[in-house]
Amino acid sequence: MSPLDGFSLSRWWSLVLKEFLQLRRDRLTFAMIVGIPIVQLALFGYAINTDPKHMPTAIIGADHSEMTRTMIATMKTSGYFDIVGELPDEEAGRAALARGEVQFVLNIPAGFTRRVLRGERPALLVEADATDPMATGMALASVNQLARSVATKDLTGPLAFLAGGQAPFEVRVHRLYNPEGITRYNIVPGLMGVILTMTMVLMTGLAITRERERGTMENLLAMPAKPIEVMTGKIVPYIAIGLIQSTIIILAARFAFRVPFAGSAVTLYLAVLLFVAANLTVGITMSSLAQSQLQAMQMTMFYFLPNILLSGFMFPFQGMPAWARFIGNLLPLTYFNRLTRGIFLKGNGWWDLWPDIWPLMVFTVVVMAIAVTFYRRTLD
Amino acid sequence: MSDEYAIDVRGLNKHFGDKHVVKDVGLQVRRGEIFGFLGPNGSGKTTTIRMLCGLLKPDAGSGTCLGYDIRRDSARIKRHVGYMTQKFSYWDDLTIRENLDFVARMYGMPDRLEAVDRTLKGLGLMERANQMTGALSGGWKQRLALAACKLHDPELLLLDEPTAGVDPGARRDFWEELHRLSAAGISVLVSTHYMDEAERCHKLAYIAYGSLLAQGTSQEVIAAQGLITWAIYGGNLAGLSETLQKLPGVEQTVLFGAMLHVSGRDGDLLERTLRATAAGAAFRMEKVDTNLEDVFIYKMKQSADQNGIGT
Ligand SMILES: Nc1ncnc2c1ncn2[C@@H]1O[C@H](COP(=O)(O)OP(=O)(O)OP(=O)(O)O)[C@@H](O)[C@H]1O
Ligand SMILES: [Mg+2]
């Protein structure tokens, strides 16, 4: 017997129609069908850049001459480097790199030009925050080429002899934090935030909508429990789950992936707690808005997508266009990625981490306020 | 603070969007009374009950529940009220014992384990205590829910269709239990669609389209309508019912299986019409007491006409 025996076209068509009818009424699903491809196209098409340019670069300039100016100008025109300022000394340069304020520091030593003219082949030092090898790779590959072109441009006339053969100065590159440029070192700490975002938002969202969907919320609200007790009682288990997840990731990073751990575990756990809090507030807000578990799930996906693409997890943050960075700056994962990478690879302490801590605090407080306003104390 | 009334509310109103779902409802339930709450589907019973126990904020109206203000003291009301939701609202993925234990904890009962054991024994579920609640049949879920909402010895029970889907034996047990509780001074507000249950209540309220149409003992409610009713047996009752509906004096016909109830307010006119139409060998007829069902169907039709809704 063929499976088509007794197949009724009209019955089949009614099934198709019913599906369309239901789909049309389910606005959120409909929005996702249309919205997700658009969002993904926009993000992958425009924001994502595998040849990231315009990386913030600071200069420690102890020598000002025509030649250093040309060098700086050439770096600018290459498109890879955006000169964002001058720093007084190497220490300030390291601090700026640690905080992630700049991606590169160009260090021009005192007497550089004079030594070039004497034919001593001095070195320019480029220090790079190589946490994310993808962010620095292309730029660093280009600097030696840039140096040679400076030489041919500037060293003319009586100095032309310096332009021939070897470059008259060398560019020494220091890849800090991840000297071998191992991608894993960058990805694994980043994964921590990605996993926490996914599970924390989804699980709190589901936990609360589940009660509503099954009708048990009515029972819970009819009992003497206060709303704050219900809310926090539901959240605490997920904080514990977040800590367990983090521990698993930290252990895996350390022992399975051999990611160096330069910072303090206490600092890392405190950062995790803050980030978990930020995500739980998002989950609570979503659960107040979602009518069903399915909707909570869809909202989570919607929230997850920009988080994973625009937070600097997948693609170098500084290499994204301004609008993408603007969105990224609104997402807690952006800051948490910097925190974990900073703690794992750079060994950052509180002072260095502060620029990424306060935005998380602000985010948590603001979203918590939203959650409280949307929270339904009653069944209305 | 009134000691006489367990529930004393006036002018309750509730809107959902632009839908006016409860309109000026007032209820007076004395302590120790079993108060039946009746009305067709969607008439606002559940919504009214939810306002009584603080789950919904009334848009207008005020009153007390166990002497506590329903607007300000909902926390205290919750502590002394047992509310059984219409839809089963315990946790399917907890065992029966875990559910009861959770309830006992929420109310901070000092002798928690004892209370749980007592309830399990009373239900006859001791052997199944560690089964998942979701595995219970519909009727057993109802019984569990009822037992759970009494667990914390509430002074007032708000029961929203507690016997829907429960077999007749269990329903009889349930009503005997309610009368025992009532004798012990516990007040009960119970919504139901069963007329036999309505007749077991001390007092009744009937709500349709959000408005309270009648309140009082069943005799009072019936008497207030002033309906005269005849019962007709034998022959083609469905056909007769259709014929009668168009005739003078007949305001309502209700078919109860092998018996047709014909009601009207003008007794003489009704009797003349019936004698002219249905007299004969095929039909036997007698004057009977108007029952609650006649009255409620009559009221519902009346209010449907007033609300401009065709029946
Ligand atoms: N949360 C809500 N949002 C919007 N409308 C609602 C909501 N809850 C109830 N309603 C509407 O209010 C009206 C009254 O509903 P309610 O549940 O109180 O009726 P009921 O008398 O309990 O009916 P039933 O006998 O079917 O249980 C209905 O028209 C219903 O559609
Ligand atoms: Mg109801």
Side-chain angles (χ1 to χ4, degrees):
Chain A
M1 219 173 92
S2 127
L4 284 178
D5 278 351
F7 185 94
S8 153
L9 204 62
S10 72
R11 203 157 52 210
W12 171 79
W13 183 239
S14 351
L15 285 166
V16 172
L17 281 182
K18 169 188 151 291
E19 205 55 37
F20 270 119
L21 262 178
Q22 288 178 308
L23 207 54
R24 211 185 53 198
R25 305 233 161 97
D26 184 358
R27 292 221 200 102
L28 198 63
T29 303
F30 203 72
M32 286 188 77
I33 292 170
V34 180
I36 286 197
I38 293 175
V39 171
Q40 279 189 326
L41 277 175
L43 298 184
F44 277 107
Y46 295 115
I48 283 108
N49 189 352
T50 45
D51 183 13
K53 298 205 166 174
H54 304 290
M55 297 298 185
T57 305
I59 299 195
I60 306 172
D63 187 71
H64 296 271
S65 72
E66 189 64 29
M67 187 180 303
T68 58
R69 269 194 295 278
T70 316
M71 179 67 192
I72 292 168
T74 316
M75 283 174 75
K76 268 197 222 167
T77 44
S78 77
Y80 285 111
F81 306 92
D82 270 5
I83 311 298
V84 293
E86 281 214 26
L87 294 171
D89 54 22
E90 214 161 310
E91 202 181 326
R94 285 294 171 100
L97 285 168
R99 282 198 295 271
E101 287 164 6
V102 297
Q103 194 82 34
F104 299 102
V105 173
L106 173 67
N107 192 342
I108 306 169
F112 173 77
T113 313
R114 192 157 23 91
R115 294 179 60 206
V116 171
L117 295 180
R118 285 201 211 129
E120 289 176 22
R121 297 200 74 242
L124 276 179
L125 182 65
V126 175
E127 292 194 299
D129 172 356
T131 316
D132 184 355
M134 203 166 130
T136 48
M138 301 296 268
L140 290 180
S142 74
V143 286
N144 270 303
Q145 180 62 39
L146 295 180
R148 244 189 308 277
S149 76
V150 170
T152 39
K153 210 183 303 170
D154 258 28
L155 301 173
T156 47
L159 294 173
F161 74 97
L162 284 170
Q166 274 184 315
F169 60 91
E170 69 180 299
V171 180
R172 211 172 289 151
V173 171
H174 268 185
R175 290 183 175 82
L176 298 177
Y177 314 123
N178 184 3
E180 292 119 286
I182 300 174
T183 317
R184 196 171 69 228
Y185 288 2
N186 182 51
I187 296 286
V188 175
L191 263 179
M192 190 152 148
V194 170
I195 293 170
L196 283 176
T197 301
M198 189 69 199
T199 47
M200 290 301 104
V201 173
L202 187 61
M203 286 171 100
T204 34
L206 290 187
I208 296 164
T209 42
R210 185 162 52 228
E211 301 270 6
R212 198 167 290 131
E213 199 173 301
R214 295 187 184 170
T216 48
M217 198 59 165
E218 183 175 7
N219 199 344
L220 215 48
L221 290 173
M223 292 190 210
K226 295 201 165 54
I228 181 88
E229 291 166 355
V230 176
M231 276 295 133
T232 51
K234 284 212 143 290
I235 286 170
V236 163
Y238 297 103
I239 296 181
I241 289 175
L243 291 177
I244 293 170
Q245 279 188 329
S246 308
T247 307
I248 294 172
I249 299 165
I250 294 169
L251 292 177
R254 204 60 207 90
F255 299 107
F257 297 105
R258 306 261 161 217
V259 177
F261 190 84
S264 122
V266 177
T267 314
L268 184 54
Y269 273 103
L270 287 175
V272 166
L273 275 180
L274 178 58
F275 183 62
V276 164
N279 279 302
L280 292 182
T281 58
V282 175
I284 296 170
T285 308
M286 286 191 180
S287 68
S288 302
L289 298 174
Q291 299 296 326
S292 64
Q293 293 190 69
L294 179 67
Q295 283 195 357
M297 202 114 92
Q298 290 172 323
M299 285 184 182
T300 308
M301 283 314 296
F302 233 61
Y303 175 72
F304 193 57
L305 205 62
N307 262 290
I308 199 164
L309 294 175
L310 299 183
S311 64
F313 166 71
M314 262 197 191
F315 309 101
F317 190 81
Q318 303 289 7
M320 299 192 305
W323 64 266
R325 266 179 294 151
F326 176 80
I327 299 173
N329 275 330
L330 300 174
L331 303 172
L333 186 56
T334 303
Y335 301 99
F336 187 66
N337 275 338
R338 292 188 200 141
L339 291 178
T340 46
R341 287 167 179 171
I343 295 167
F344 263 94
L345 303 175
K346 304 181 180 176
N348 281 351
W350 287 111
W351 178 244
D352 295 321
L353 298 174
W354 179 243
D356 296 312
I357 294 212
W358 69 259
L360 275 182
M361 290 176 162
V362 171
F363 180 91
T364 309
V365 170
V366 169
V367 181
M368 183 65 109
I370 297 173
V372 168
T373 25
F374 277 111
Y375 176 71
R376 289 174 245 172
R377 235 156 277 279
T378 53
L379 290 169
D380 300 66
Chain B
M1 164 129 188
S2 75
D3 247 3
E4 188 186 353
Y5 290 110
I7 299 175
D8 183 10
V9 292
R10 279 158 221 284
L12 288 187
N13 276 281
K14 184 73 193 174
H15 298 256
F16 286 118
D18 52 6
K19 218 158 83 183
H20 200 171
V21 168
V22 172
K23 302 167 192 161
D24 287 325
V25 166
L27 290 174
Q28 279 71 41
V29 178
R30 278 174 209 280
R31 293 211 182 228
E33 204 165 64
I34 300 180
F35 192 95
F37 199 23
L38 290 98
N41 293 136
S43 54
K45 300 183 294 297
T46 300
T47 308
T48 306
I49 295 175
R50 283 175 175 166
M51 285 193 280
L52 291 177
C53 61
L55 285 174
L56 291 176
K57 276 250 173 296
D59 298 332
S62 64
T64 60
C65 202
L66 296 170
Y68 301 117
D69 189 288
I70 58 162
R71 284 176 176 281
R72 280 179 285 115
D73 282 336
S74 69
R76 257 178 289 185
I77 293 175
K78 285 174 186 177
R79 194 165 290 283
H80 299 286
V81 167
Y83 171 43
M84 177 175 166
T85 54
Q86 179 171 0
K87 182 173 181 276
F88 182 71
S89 62
Y90 289 85
W91 289 266
D92 280 347
D93 45 2
L94 294 183
T95 66
I96 298 165
R97 181 185 289 281
E98 284 164 350
N99 262 312
L100 291 172
D101 194 58
F102 177 73
V103 173
R105 279 174 193 272
M106 290 301 273
Y107 288 96
M109 295 189 64
D111 49 352
R112 202 179 83 232
L113 297 179
E114 261 173 71
V116 170
D117 275 341
R118 199 166 49 224
T119 305
L120 282 170
K121 274 206 201 86
L123 277 168
L125 282 176
M126 208 57 174
E127 288 73 39
R128 303 171 66 184
N130 294 323
Q131 265 185 18
M132 285 299 151
T133 305
L136 286 174
S137 76
W140 274 102
K141 280 186 184 170
Q142 288 293 92
R143 295 196 210 180
L144 171 67
L146 187 64
C149 81
K150 291 187 315 204
L151 190 74
H152 63 287
D153 303 322
E155 293 167 49
L156 168 67
L157 290 174
L158 302 173
L159 310 174
D160 200 354
E161 298 190 28
T163 55
V166 170
D167 67 51
R171 254 174 65 190
R172 199 184 48 234
D173 293 348
F174 163 72
W175 275 92
E176 275 166 16
E177 168 77 6
L178 275 198
H179 278 278
R180 253 196 315 277
L181 291 170
S182 149
I186 293 170
S187 326
V188 181
L189 178 82
V190 52
S191 81
T192 179
H193 292 295
Y194 297 114
M195 288 305 137
D196 62 315
E197 293 188 350
E199 270 150 14
R200 286 168 179 251
C201 297
H202 299 128
K203 286 236 184 85
L204 294 174
Y206 185 80
I207 185 173
Y209 302 102
S211 306
L212 205 62
L213 300 183
Q215 188 169 194
T217 63
S218 61
Q219 289 87 343
E220 283 168 1
V221 169
I222 292 170
Q225 290 315 305
L227 283 180
I228 309 294
T229 301
W230 287 73
I232 305 179
Y233 307 89
N236 175 10
L237 290 178
L240 179 67
S241 163
E242 243 178 76
T243 323
L244 283 173
Q245 269 168 19
K246 299 179 199 95
L247 297 178
V250 178
E251 292 185 54
Q252 168 175 299
T253 59
V254 184
L255 195 53
F256 293 92
M259 169 176 77
L260 182 71
H261 270 200
V262 185
S263 315
R265 268 171 306 183
D266 187 339
D268 296 335
L269 183 60
L270 178 66
E271 190 170 347
R272 254 179 281 132
T273 303
L274 286 179
R275 295 225 179 275
T277 321
F283 299 105
R284 190 165 59 77
M285 56 188 192
E286 60 178 330
K287 198 167 170 188
V288 294
D289 289 340
T290 306
N291 69 22
L292 270 177
E293 196 154 355
D294 296 321
V295 170
F296 289 156
I297 292 172
Y298 183 72
K299 298 233 75 149
M300 197 173 106
K301 211 159 47 184
Q302 239 181 2
S303 79
D305 294 344
Q306 278 164 17
N307 283 274
I309 304 152
T311 42

